Amino acid sequence: MSAQERLTDALYGAGWGTVKSLPEPVAVGLGRTIADLAWKRRGKGVLRLESNYARVVPDAGPERLAELSRAGMRSYLRYWMESFRLPAWSAERVASGLDVKDLHHLTDGMAAGKGVVLALPHLANWDLAGAWVTTKLGIPFTTVAERLKPETLYDRFVAYREGLGMEVLPHSGGSAFGTLARRLRDGGLVCLVADRDLSSSGVEVDFFGETARMPAGPALLAQQTGARLLPVTLWYDDSPVMRGRVHPPVEVPGSGTRPEKTSVMTQALADAFATGIAEHPEDWHMLQRLWLRDLDPVREPVTAPEKDQKGTS
């Protein structure tokens, strides 16, 4: 393990060990302070965030983009402060931490017994949403996590999510898809963060007027298993309660080849994600390249605990 990897692991370990013991107002204040400091430094993550927001809000000038990126960093650090503290939250605190519109799409799908795939973008706090599903609804689910470096950090994230009631599968190794399909055929729930592709097998979609690549997994799982595919979007407001919406099901097209169906379904997911992101751009924590014209010819290796490494398919 390199010195940088040891430092990264130690910092995240300190976060889980220290922040969760802070009073909530102190943790909130700490997160905002760190966010503002990071924003003022104008590092590459903040600049990338502004570049991404420029696609979402094309009429925004430099001042508006700066305001959005500051709000975005505050939202991003709210995610981390909440995530560090989630293991110490009571069941009652978790259950009251999310308010969801159109939840019937999920509950009806589970009642049908054919399984449900929830697909989410990097909006607000999907870890809290997952904990809410297992705690408030009492529904266990399976997700996928990208392997992080160092391995000890990956183990921390897996243990953290398993502690919240999730079954976590590694993205690498090629066996995740088969396990997810089995869970769905048994009537289970699968949750996948799905607005950024980490492989070479993603599907090209139109996203805010430009081409991006998103994972094929959610659409393929729905086709192969008959599970209901539901987009979900999340956002924060000025209260301690996160908000969410379960969008109507993405239907499997009645005709076409499997790749054609996958393309249509993934575009429908992208459209639902875009709706939620456009309504709450500051809660979209995309500090990495997403659109194809921003990506280097050689894909960047995954070597740090980016938010997009949690639950992609």
Side-chain angles (χ1 to χ4, degrees):
M1 185 188 304
S2 69
Q4 180 63 43
E5 289 174 342
R6 287 196 297 271
L7 176 61
T8 299
D9 184 51
L11 288 174
Y12 279 84
W16 271 300
T18 303
V19 174
K20 70 180 180 181
S21 65
L22 296 175
E24 188 157 343
V26 175
V28 170
L30 176 62
R32 177 161 292 200
T33 297
I34 295 172
D36 288 348
L37 288 172
W39 177 77
K40 289 177 182 177
R41 287 180 60 192
R42 306 291 292 165
K44 64 179 183 179
V46 172
L47 296 178
R48 177 55 55 189
L49 189 64
E50 286 187 10
S51 176
N52 291 338
Y53 286 161
R55 269 66 172 250
V56 177
V57 190
D59 295 333
E63 184 175 343
R64 173 59 176 150
L65 289 175
E67 291 174 352
L68 276 174
S69 67
R70 185 176 189 179
M73 291 303 295
R74 288 181 171 182
S75 177
Y76 184 50
L77 264 295
R78 176 174 172 175
Y79 161 83
W80 280 113
M81 292 298 109
E82 287 179 347
S83 295
F84 285 143
R85 291 172 53 77
L86 264 176
W89 282 13
S90 67
E92 292 75 17
R93 176 70 177 86
V94 173
S96 64
L98 174 62
D99 177 60
V100 181
K101 297 179 180 179
D102 299 325
L103 184 62
H104 65 91
H105 292 306
L106 170 58
T107 54
D108 291 350
M110 294 302 296
K114 294 184 178 181
V116 171
V117 180
L118 296 181
L120 305 87
H122 287 83
L123 276 168
N125 190 340
W126 54 90
D127 283 335
L128 171 56
W132 184 87
V133 166
T134 60
T135 303
K136 174 74 172 182
L137 302 183
I139 302 174
F141 68 87
T142 304
T143 189
V144 176
E146 186 70 13
R147 283 199 175 277
L148 305 175
K149 293 182 180 179
E151 190 76 14
T152 51
L153 184 57
Y154 171 76
D155 292 340
R156 286 185 189 274
F157 275 106
V158 170
Y160 157 65
R161 289 187 173 83
E162 288 179 342
L164 299 176
M166 312 175 192
E167 179 188 20
V168 182
L169 306 176
H171 183 275
S172 59
S175 62
F177 187 91
T179 302
L180 295 173
R182 287 193 294 273
R183 299 292 182 270
L184 293 169
R185 290 192 184 98
D186 290 338
L189 176 64
V190 165
C191 300
L192 300 169
V193 179
D195 58 345
R196 183 172 184 256
D197 179 57
L198 289 172
S199 72
S200 60
S201 59
V203 177
E204 291 189 4
V205 296
D206 180 273
F207 197 53
F208 292 102
E210 292 189 37
T211 303
R213 188 180 293 123
M214 295 187 181
L220 288 172
L221 285 167
Q223 291 177 63
Q224 186 164 313
T225 67
R228 180 177 294 195
L229 175 56
L230 300 173
V232 176
T233 53
L234 306 167
W235 66 94
Y236 291 128
D237 57 19
D238 293 331
S239 77
V241 178
M242 185 171 69
R243 311 296 172 179
R245 178 189 175 196
V246 182
H247 295 252
V250 173
E251 303 293 344
V252 178
S255 61
T257 64
R258 175 168 287 191
E260 289 169 344
K261 292 179 180 180
T262 301
S263 178
V264 170
M265 295 172 73
T266 306
Q267 183 64 59
L269 285 179
D271 292 343
F273 294 165
T275 297
I277 292 167
E279 291 173 350
H280 306 279
E282 68 279 3
D283 292 323
W284 189 42
H285 308 152
M286 186 56 67
L287 282 71
Q288 300 82 27
R289 295 180 180 94
L290 175 71
W291 283 273
L292 294 192
R293 73 184 180 100
D294 290 339
L295 292 169
D296 293 333
V298 179
R299 294 183 64 84
E300 298 171 330
V302 178
T303 58
E306 299 176 351
K307 269 191 76 179
D308 61 326
Q309 295 165 339
K310 305 165 193 171
T312 51
S313 169

